[in-house]
Amino acid sequence: MSVFAPASPFADFIYRHFRAIHALKLGLALLIAVTINAIWSPPHFIWSMVTIVIIMMSLPQVGGAIEKSLQRAVGTCLGSAYGVMLVATIDSYWLIMGLLILAVSLICFISAGRYSYAYLVAGFTIIIVVGDANHDTSEALWRTANILLGCIIAILVSLFIFPIKAKQDWRSQLANAIDSMAKVLTQHLHAPANHDLDFRAELEAAMKAVLTQKKLFFSLEWESQTLKKHKILLAELVNKQVRLITLLELLPLSRWQAADKEAYHQINRVAAELTAHLQRLSEFVAGKTAFLPTLPTALGQELQLRLQLSLAAQTPNSAPLANEVAQGFALTGYGWLIYQLAIAVEALYADIEIIEIAYSGQTVLHKTAKRS
């Protein structure tokens, strides 16, 4: 099923109440840990509860919980293995501490990128295991086992108890960003001449939604093989949204007098079509419509031609005066801005269409046949 397909009532309920559901899931995971402790009472069981809180507290999505659990498990195993090896095979206190410092320093040097959390866990696990360099490794092994148990509990609860999907959050943030951009363009096109409207709130909301999409990339990879194959496209989609926001930030700088109103309105009538396309795209991404709306062929070129005709109609036949030159320059610059917006909208459509095609083999065949 497509990532843009209308969400089921159950999935929609989970997303609308994800904060409360996430809190209940964290409490349930801790209850499971407490129950195991009451039945079995393994040593150092508190590390299971600490692990559950660390993993689940800030990551409600399934993919994020899996990612962080696996990184914590790998880092714990590697750090524990190294620490046990030191205390089990070396008698010299200073040699053990020297090798500990060397390992942690090396981890600090190479710790970067996607797996930085695994490096962090490996570093402090080595310190916890080695401790004061005594040769009792049972404590280290119990701590490792309890951390792994906490990882397992966190993954299972995230996966099977009211799963909160990053895909739902990502598409919602994408729809919010597009909708905010459409609102900015709508307000601008309906504003009076030389308006002083402030679009910062809407544009900041759009940028916040874009940044949230970026934070969800790792979670999306764990939840969807299709999106994992198109992770570069997801990054490009973010960049194209940022380009649209940047272009929209220039709109309040467009100024004209009442005498120029009709000339600008001719261009705005062309720009109004972009607003409609953005609104329909937002509805599709949000799951309100079942099919991706289509853009006119060569939308950017068509709008460019119409903008040129609008500008030509406003150019006087006689030698232009200074104010007419200024007006022509302003109109040309404004027309260029609308044309660039059209190109950006086309690029946004193209990326979303690729993602939609990737989710449906039938759609791929249909699109291929249509283009050929």
Side-chain angles (χ1 to χ4, degrees):
M1 184 174 68
S2 172
V3 69
F4 301 121
S8 66
F10 179 69
D12 186 61
F13 173 82
I14 290 177
Y15 182 72
R16 284 189 289 109
H17 304 284
F18 82 94
R19 291 185 181 275
I21 291 174
H22 180 223
L24 290 174
K25 290 174 66 173
L26 177 59
L28 177 61
L30 292 174
L31 178 61
I32 293 172
V34 169
T35 303
I36 293 175
N37 185 41
I39 298 173
W40 187 19
S41 298
H44 306 291
F45 193 77
I46 192 66
W47 283 98
S48 291
M49 300 181 69
V50 170
T51 298
I52 290 171
V53 172
I54 290 175
I55 291 173
M56 296 186 65
M57 180 70 79
S58 60
L59 293 169
Q61 294 88 5
V62 171
I66 295 175
E67 168 91 10
K68 196 165 187 177
S69 294
L70 292 178
Q71 288 202 38
R72 187 171 180 85
V74 171
T76 298
C77 290
L78 293 177
S80 178
Y82 183 78
V84 169
M85 184 271 293
L86 289 182
V87 299
T89 60
I90 301 175
D91 293 328
S92 171
Y93 171 82
W94 287 109
L95 181 56
I96 290 177
M97 290 303 172
L99 291 173
L100 180 150
I101 294 171
L102 178 63
V104 174
S105 299
L106 179 62
I107 289 172
C108 177
F109 177 74
I110 64 177
S111 175
R114 176 171 183 172
Y115 303 106
S116 58
Y117 181 67
Y119 290 118
L120 171 66
V121 172
F124 71 68
T125 300
I126 294 173
I127 297 174
I128 291 173
V129 169
V130 172
D132 57 358
N134 65 66
H135 285 68
D136 182 11
T137 59
S138 63
E139 181 176 342
L141 295 175
W142 274 115
R143 285 177 175 173
T144 302
N146 284 311
I147 288 173
L148 295 177
L149 178 61
C151 291
I152 293 172
I153 293 173
I155 290 176
L156 292 178
V157 171
S158 297
L159 272 174
F160 299 111
I161 307 297
F162 294 108
I164 302 172
K165 297 297 184 69
K167 291 187 295 183
Q168 180 75 1
D169 195 11
W170 174 77
R171 63 180 279 183
S172 178
Q173 296 298 334
L174 177 58
N176 290 341
I178 298 173
D179 186 60
S180 295
M181 290 185 277
K183 288 179 180 177
V184 168
L185 192 53
T186 299
Q187 292 178 34
H188 171 77
L189 297 179
H190 289 84
N194 204 18
H195 68 78
D196 57 353
L197 294 179
D198 188 352
F199 301 134
R200 282 179 296 179
E202 291 84 357
L203 292 175
E204 286 175 1
M207 184 59 74
K208 183 178 179 180
V210 172
L211 294 176
T212 302
Q213 294 170 45
K214 197 170 183 179
K215 293 178 182 177
L216 294 170
F217 283 177
F218 291 155
S219 297
L220 291 172
E221 290 183 28
W222 284 101
E223 291 184 14
S224 171
Q225 288 298 314
T226 301
L227 293 179
K228 183 177 181 179
K229 294 177 182 177
H230 292 80
K231 58 183 179 181
I232 296 178
L233 184 63
L234 294 180
E236 292 177 355
L237 190 60
V238 164
N239 294 335
K240 287 168 184 176
Q241 291 174 78
V242 172
R243 172 171 170 75
L244 259 172
I245 292 172
T246 303
L247 290 170
L248 291 171
E249 286 178 338
L250 299 176
L251 286 178
L253 303 179
S254 305
R255 292 285 185 261
W256 62 86
Q257 302 300 321
D260 309 325
K261 186 175 180 180
E262 183 56 35
Y264 280 93
H265 276 192
Q266 288 191 32
I267 299 177
N268 285 349
R269 279 192 285 271
V270 176
E273 298 179 21
L274 297 179
T275 305
H277 293 314
L278 281 174
Q279 290 172 339
R280 285 195 290 267
L281 183 61
S282 173
E283 292 173 357
F284 168 75
V285 171
K288 297 179 181 178
T289 58
F291 300 100
L292 176 67
T294 57
L295 285 177
T297 305
L299 172 67
Q301 296 178 3
E302 178 186 346
L303 292 186
Q304 183 186 34
L305 177 60
R306 292 170 58 186
L307 287 169
Q308 289 173 344
L309 293 175
S310 299
L311 294 173
Q314 300 301 319
T315 302
N317 295 324
S318 58
L321 301 175
N323 63 334
E324 292 173 337
V325 172
Q327 178 188 354
F329 179 79
L331 286 171
T332 302
Y334 186 57
W336 174 89
L337 176 59
I338 299 303
Y339 171 60
Q340 292 300 319
L341 281 171
I343 294 176
V345 171
E346 280 188 307
L348 195 65
Y349 256 85
D351 284 353
I352 293 176
E353 183 181 30
I354 292 173
I355 295 174
E356 174 66 7
I357 287 173
Y359 270 92
S360 172
Q362 292 182 350
T363 307
V364 172
L365 296 174
H366 175 70
K367 295 291 182 181
T368 304
K370 183 178 179 180
R371 286 171 179 167
S372 60

